[in-house]
Amino acid sequence: MTQAGLDLVTTCKQAIERQARFDVRWTDGLLTEPFTRLGWVDRDAGELVVLGDAIEVQTDAGGYVRSHYSCVYNVLTKGVLSADLEPGKLPVRAQKN
């Protein structure tokens, strides 16, 4: 992974963790990526969105639930524009015919 990729992963993971009310556990490993989908929000502005579901978020009762997340990252300024965290797996993409 490039330094730019490491910056994105580190910065976005921290922003996503801040969205949780309690503790989080990342389920990605050394050989897997935490973000399984990506796309440009605004290529000219350098805004990229990354998505994934390799996280478990602690509930009020103390258990953990798998969740999905997104992070909008500006590759030019190396900053997070927004981060979201929701319970459940990442929705399946519709197949194009």
Side-chain angles (χ1 to χ4, degrees), residues 80-95:
V80 171
L81 302 175
S82 67
D84 294 303
L85 179 62
E86 297 290 332
K89 292 173 60 174
L90 191 62
V92 177
R93 290 186 280 197
Q95 296 291 324

Side-chain angles (χ1 to χ4, degrees), residues 20-25 56-59 64:
R21 186 170 172 197
F22 300 110
D23 195 22
V24 300
R25 296 190 300 210
E56 294 177 336
V57 179
Q58 190 175 30
T59 66
Y64 284 84

Side-chain angles (χ1 to χ4, degrees), residues 3-4 11 24 31 52 57 67 74 76 89 94-95:
Q3 184 60 47
T11 306
V24 300
L31 301 177
V57 179
S67 299
N74 188 298
L76 304 176
K89 292 173 60 174
Q95 296 291 324

Side-chain angles (χ1 to χ4, degrees), residues 47-62:
E47 296 174 3
L48 181 70
V49 64
V50 291
L51 303 103
D53 61 3
I55 195 170
E56 294 177 336
V57 179
Q58 190 175 30
T59 66
D60 292 339

